[in-house]
């Protein structure tokens, strides 16, 4: 029988079995089969279509009944194993696992007491822990560590289990026993596994290379997310620095005016609110703060007002809406003089440079924080992670079979333990690197070993939001304006006549803007006369 006829026979029997298992009735007359030399009949099976829309055919009349019934049973059992149940289909990831940890309801979970605790942790100004676990570089100290290490995760779960399996295999293949157990047959079986050792040696080199590259790529994801989080923190500090430096001050005392002081406090509060709501959108730890109950907890702590809560819920934009509030606050503050460059106030010119600097910082902030969820959603393709997991598991599974002939039973057990420790540690560590904020800690049954502490990021930013206002609340006399402060209704002195007597005509000094235009015109005329225009 040719391969094409064999494929035709298998397809016909399988479709007939599926037909009887789903409809329980006699099969309709089968149309005539025609084999194609360019397209095998097996490829024409409608296996990818829904079963309710598949034209099922019966088996040919020349197929024996016992073969038809046996094939039908095999196909039915295989279909039940492969086909996903509704519960399994519901367990498929349908959201960004690196952000919500696979829990679509993470934002709605939490009691009132838990929400208060989370809001208090997010609003605190005292860093509770380092942003990542710290260490001493001494060898003795590193060997003594257990908590927060990858050995703690791999050793009791995978190494011990695989060692026990390797012991069972080694005892079965090498340990002598009663005559009825046929020890000679088992010894012969162990000798026949010697070719597997060569395949294992070749595969181990390939797997080691793949794991090294996989770990490097996973660490790159972790490092990029960490760098982006620090850049977000830096841009928020830049906003506080610029606002504190250019807030309106009293010329006599050097302190902020009451209006400027209130503006700086509002900016600091919006910076903290933005940071809290942003990390609530990318971590499961603070996700409940985006719920109405979570916003109520923030109101109790003074992080926002009731009107601001209503605005956030109406827009459903959370931290993006707060960014718009900051942009509008900068615009109005520069416009009414609460923020501005002293040169602009003295010379009567527009403080457009400060406004452009603040808006540019906001644009940089938006592009930076938006890259974090993008990096989390595209951290690693499923096919890549699955391939690495399969290669590692197969290598570890074949280790005792490959080593038992060359190094004996004890060597096979010890080798399995070492191979499991090294390779499983690399795979597990890479998976943890792919979860920078420890959102998948419940799935991995481990607290964040290498996770970035989002609470520390929030607390450091809370401190930084008030740092620049407090640091610039008083200025020494050397930094204050020299001479009498310029009044708004007084004419501005022209730089051309500074240090000289007034013009003989006794007229008013030329305004600074006209002097600047005259200077620019002179520069252009000089450039044109020199041939540079």
């Amino acid at each position: 029988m040719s391969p094409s006829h064999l494929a035709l026979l298998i397809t016909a029997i399988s479709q007939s079995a599926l037909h009887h298992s789903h409809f329980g009735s006699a099969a309709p007359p089968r149309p005539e089969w025609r084999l194609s030399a360019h397209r095998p009949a097996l490829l024409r099976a409608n296996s990818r279509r829904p079963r309710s829309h598949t034209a099922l055919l019966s088996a040919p009349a020349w197929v024996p009944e016992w073969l038809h019934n046996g094939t039908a049973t095999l196909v039915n059992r295989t279909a039940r194993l492969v086909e996903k149940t509704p519960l399994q289909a519901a367990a498929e990831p349908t959201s960004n696992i690196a952000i919500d940890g696979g829990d679509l309801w993470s934002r709605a979970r939490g009691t009132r007491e838990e929400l208060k605790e989370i809001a208090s942790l997010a609003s605190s100004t005292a860093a509770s822990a380092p942003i990542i676990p710290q260490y001493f570089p001494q060898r003795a100290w590193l060997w003594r560590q257990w908590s927060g290490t990858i050995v703690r995760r791999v050793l009791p779960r995978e190494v011990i289990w695989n060692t026990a399996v390797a012991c069972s295999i080694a005892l079965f293949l090498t340990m002598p026993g009663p005559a009825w157990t046929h020890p000679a047959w088992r010894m012969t079986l162990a000798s026949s596994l010697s070719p597997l050792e060569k395949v294992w040696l070749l595969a181990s080199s390939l797997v080691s290379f793949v794991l090294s590259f996989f770990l490097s790529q996973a660490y790159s994801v972790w490092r990029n997310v960490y760098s982006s989080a620090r850049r977000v923190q830096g841009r928020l500090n830049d906003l506080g620095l610029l606002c504190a430096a250019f807030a309106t001050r009293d010329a006599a005392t050097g302190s902020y005016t009451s209006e400027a002081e209130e503006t700086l406090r509002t900016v600091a509060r919006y910076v903290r609110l933005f940071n809290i709501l942003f990390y609530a959108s990318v971590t499961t730890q603070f996700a409940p703060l985006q719920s109405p109950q979570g916003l109520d907890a923030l109101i109790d702590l003074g992080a926002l007002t009731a009107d601001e809560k209503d605005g956030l819920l109406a827009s459903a934009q959370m931290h993006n809406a707060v960014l718009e509030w900051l942009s509008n606050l900068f615009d109005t503050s520069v416009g009414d003089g609460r923020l501005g460059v002293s040169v602009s106030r003295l010379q009567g010119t527009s403080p457009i440079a400060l406004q452009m600097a603040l808006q540019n910082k906001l644009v940089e902030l938006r592009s930076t924080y938006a890259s974090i969820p993008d990096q989390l959603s595209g951290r690693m393709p499923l096919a890549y992670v699955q391939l690495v997991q399969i290669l590692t598991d197969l290598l570890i599974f074949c280790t005792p079979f490959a080593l038992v002939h060359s190094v004996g039973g004890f060597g096979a057990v010890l080798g399995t333990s070492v191979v499991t420790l090294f390779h499983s540690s690399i795979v597990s560590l890479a998976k943890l690197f792919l979860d920078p904020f420890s959102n998948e800690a419940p799935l991995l049954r481990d607290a964040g070993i290498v996770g970035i502490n989002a609470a520390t990021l929030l607390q450091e930013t809370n401190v930084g939001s008030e740092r620049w206002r407090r640091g610039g609340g008083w200025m020494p006399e050397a930094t204050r304006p020299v001479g009498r402060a310029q009044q708004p209704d007084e004419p501005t002195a022209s730089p051309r006549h500074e240090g000289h007597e007034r013009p003989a005509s006794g007229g008013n000094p030329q305004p600074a803007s006209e002097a600047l235009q005259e200077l620019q015109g002179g520069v252009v005329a000089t450039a044109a006369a020199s041939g540079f225009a």
Side-chain angles (χ1 to χ4, degrees):
M1 181 180 294
S2 64
S4 300
H5 286 82
L6 181 59
L8 171 62
L9 174 61
I10 296 175
T11 305
I13 295 175
S14 302
Q15 291 182 345
S16 175
L18 290 174
H19 174 79
H20 285 289
S21 63
H22 283 274
F23 299 98
S25 59
R30 181 182 60 83
E32 188 68 18
W33 281 93
R34 294 183 180 178
L35 295 177
S36 174
H38 303 284
R39 186 181 179 94
L42 186 60
L43 297 180
R44 292 182 291 181
N46 299 322
S47 57
R48 295 186 178 180
R49 299 181 184 176
R51 292 184 176 180
S52 57
H53 301 285
T54 303
L56 301 177
L57 303 177
S58 62
W62 44 269
V63 176
E65 184 178 358
W66 63 269
L67 180 59
H68 173 271
N69 295 335
T71 307
T73 304
L74 179 61
V75 170
N76 289 333
R77 292 182 179 179
T78 305
R80 284 195 295 268
L81 290 175
V82 176
E83 184 180 7
K84 296 178 180 178
T85 63
L87 182 60
Q88 292 173 335
E92 291 292 328
T94 58
S95 61
N96 195 337
I97 304 298
I99 292 180
D100 57 24
D103 186 5
L104 296 176
W105 299 98
S106 59
R107 299 180 182 180
R109 300 186 188 278
T111 62
R112 185 179 298 273
E113 290 73 18
E114 291 174 344
L115 289 175
K116 289 183 179 180
E117 182 179 356
I118 295 173
S120 177
L121 181 65
S123 304
S124 174
T125 56
S128 56
I131 188 170
I132 59 174
Q134 302 298 301
Y135 62 90
F136 291 108
Q138 290 83 357
R139 179 186 294 105
W141 186 90
L142 292 174
W143 272 91
R144 292 196 305 268
Q145 300 312 302
W146 176 256
S147 177
T149 63
I150 196 65
V151 178
R152 176 178 178 268
R153 169 179 169 78
V154 174
L155 187 60
R157 299 177 184 175
E158 301 185 27
V159 174
I160 295 179
W161 169 255
N162 290 335
T163 302
V165 173
C167 286
S168 302
I169 295 174
L171 290 176
F172 175 78
L173 294 177
T174 61
M175 186 175 182
W180 59 270
T181 59
H182 302 288
W185 172 82
R186 291 187 281 110
M187 296 294 181
T188 305
L189 178 61
S191 301
S192 64
L193 293 176
S194 58
L196 181 62
E197 181 184 2
K198 300 179 181 179
V199 179
W200 182 87
L201 289 175
L202 296 176
S204 61
S205 301
L206 174 63
V207 173
S208 300
F209 172 76
V210 172
L211 288 181
S212 301
F213 188 76
F214 181 66
L215 180 63
S216 176
Q217 293 297 308
Y219 178 72
S220 298
V221 173
W222 185 92
R223 175 55 61 180
N224 290 335
V225 173
Y226 176 81
S227 300
S228 298
R230 284 302 193 184
R231 286 197 298 271
V232 169
Q233 187 179 30
R235 297 299 79 74
L236 293 175
N237 279 319
D238 291 345
L239 294 176
L241 171 62
L242 290 174
C243 292
F246 297 115
T248 306
R249 300 176 181 273
D250 184 86
T253 62
S255 59
Y256 301 121
T257 62
S258 58
E259 295 83 3
E261 177 82 15
E262 183 63 25
T263 300
L264 293 180
R265 291 182 182 274
T266 303
V267 169
R269 184 170 64 86
Y270 282 171
V271 164
R272 296 191 296 270
L273 179 60
F274 165 83
N275 209 38
I276 291 174
L277 294 180
F278 169 68
Y279 282 104
S281 67
V282 296
T283 63
T284 56
Q285 181 182 6
F286 297 101
L289 294 180
Q290 295 189 90
S291 64
Q293 295 78 11
L295 295 178
D296 289 335
L298 292 177
I299 291 178
D300 296 338
L301 295 175
L304 75 162
T305 64
D307 292 339
E308 292 169 349
K309 171 200 169 184
D310 296 337
L312 291 175
L313 294 177
S315 64
Q317 295 300 314
M318 297 301 171
H319 59 281
N320 295 312
V322 179
L323 192 68
E324 290 286 347
W325 297 352
L326 281 170
S327 178
N328 192 68
L329 177 60
F330 293 155
D331 181 67
T332 56
S333 299
V334 171
D336 58 25
R338 288 174 291 172
L339 296 176
V341 186
S342 58
V343 175
S344 301
R345 288 193 291 266
L346 291 175
Q347 300 296 337
T349 58
S350 173
I352 188 64
L354 174 61
Q355 187 173 9
M356 291 295 295
L358 291 172
Q359 298 299 334
N360 286 336
K361 290 297 180 182
L362 288 178
V363 172
E364 293 178 12
L365 174 63
R366 189 220 62 81
S367 62
T368 303
Y369 78 74
S371 66
I372 294 180
D374 292 342
Q375 294 171 10
L376 293 177
S377 60
R379 51 181 181 169
M380 196 75 72
L382 167 64
Y384 191 9
V385 181
Q386 183 199 38
L387 175 63
V388 171
Q389 187 69 62
I390 291 176
L391 291 177
T392 305
D393 292 344
L394 290 179
L395 180 70
I396 295 174
F397 175 77
C398 295
T399 298
F401 297 100
L403 298 181
V404 69
H405 174 70
S406 59
V407 297
F410 179 76
V413 173
L414 182 61
T416 301
S417 303
V418 174
V419 170
T420 302
L421 177 62
F422 289 167
H423 291 76
S424 295
S425 297
I426 293 177
V427 174
S428 300
L429 185 60
K431 290 180 182 178
L432 293 175
F433 279 144
L434 293 175
D435 182 27
F437 292 115
S438 300
N439 293 332
E440 299 174 87
L443 299 178
L444 297 176
R445 301 179 183 178
D446 215 329
I449 295 178
V450 298
I452 301 172
N453 195 338
T456 302
L457 282 173
L458 292 174
Q459 293 157 2
E460 291 178 352
T461 305
N462 294 341
V463 175
S465 65
E466 295 287 348
R467 176 186 297 124
W468 309 109
R469 180 185 64 83
R470 294 178 179 178
W474 177 86
M475 288 293 171
E477 187 175 357
T479 64
R480 301 174 190 174
V482 178
R484 185 172 59 89
Q486 179 75 34
Q487 299 298 326
D489 55 346
E490 291 184 359
T492 303
S494 173
R496 293 190 307 154
H497 302 140
E498 194 175 57
H500 300 279
E501 296 182 358
R502 287 182 174 272
S505 59
N508 294 329
Q510 187 177 10
S513 58
E514 296 181 6
L516 180 60
Q517 293 176 1
E518 181 180 349
L519 178 61
Q520 292 176 347
V523 171
V524 173
T526 304
S530 304
F532 293 103

